[in-house]
Amino acid sequence: MSTPLDNLKLHYWTDINGSTTLGRGEFIALLLIDAGVKFEYVKFSDKTWRENKQKFIEEGCVATSLPYVQTADGQYFSNTLPSMRYISRKLGGKYDGKTDEEKYLVDNYADTMADWYIKWVNSQFSKDEEASKKYKEEYLVEQLNRHEKYLSKSTGPYLLGDEPTYADFYLFHTLEDNDMPIDAERFPHLTAFVKAFGNRPNMKKYLASDRK
């Protein structure tokens, strides 16, 4: 089945710290794969990025950092959450709220997680062992409690019920990158969320692959 976004390209790093899925590019990849969008995952090493960065700028890409989404007609879209919102809109709002209030909730939820992700990035690459320890023992637990509470108010496993929004993809991969087992008794709704997400047909197939 074709989509309005077929034949686009997603540009990101070949790997981060040896992982082919770590980082922001995977948020967008998961969304595209779930939607069945045909796309090329173009990956750069430090060397090839330095060689190509100026070309992207000359072709009209405003941001100077990956990831980039490039459409078949040559348009560039940068920054993770705006790109995910763009994709959702191009797919007829499939991964967004239906009412203004629901859309606000999804946007708010996603922006909150973006703050969380920045904290994770800082802890991941920090040389301050005390700060990294504080993140894992305090901030991460605080975020898990917050999102458990969000999901407890839903009628289904996802933020708005039985169908995921783009923000749910952000949550799933944030949990992946944190690489922390979730206590099912303490966080039953997060546990149900991860299970439901992983059982989506396109996700199940992709998550079982080597994801390169």
Side-chain angles (χ1 to χ4, degrees), residues 60-120:
C61 195
V62 177
T64 56
S65 61
L66 298 169
Y68 290 146
V69 170
Q70 180 184 3
T71 58
D73 61 0
Q75 296 185 78
Y76 286 99
F77 297 87
S78 57
N79 296 320
T80 306
L81 280 175
S83 295
M84 295 176 79
R85 290 174 182 132
Y86 167 77
I87 290 166
S88 177
R89 290 166 187 161
K90 292 297 286 186
L91 294 172
K94 180 179 179 180
Y95 296 101
D96 204 352
K98 298 297 185 285
T99 66
D100 288 342
E101 290 73 21
E102 286 185 346
K103 290 176 182 178
Y104 163 80
L105 178 60
V106 174
D107 289 346
N108 182 280
Y109 192 65
D111 288 350
T112 298
M113 283 186 291
D115 293 338
W116 173 8
Y117 202 76
I118 290 171
K119 290 279 190 180
W120 171 80

Side-chain angles (χ1 to χ4, degrees), residues 176-192:
E176 275 197 312
D177 275 357
N178 275 274
D179 193 26
M180 176 184 177
I182 298 174
D183 185 330
E185 290 188 8
R186 187 174 180 184
F187 303 110
H189 295 92
L190 278 170
T191 301

Side-chain angles (χ1 to χ4, degrees), residues 186-205:
R186 187 174 180 184
F187 303 110
H189 295 92
L190 278 170
T191 301
F193 164 80
V194 171
K195 182 178 180 180
F197 193 97
N199 281 328
R200 292 180 64 76
N202 289 350
M203 285 296 96
K204 190 171 186 177
K205 182 179 179 181

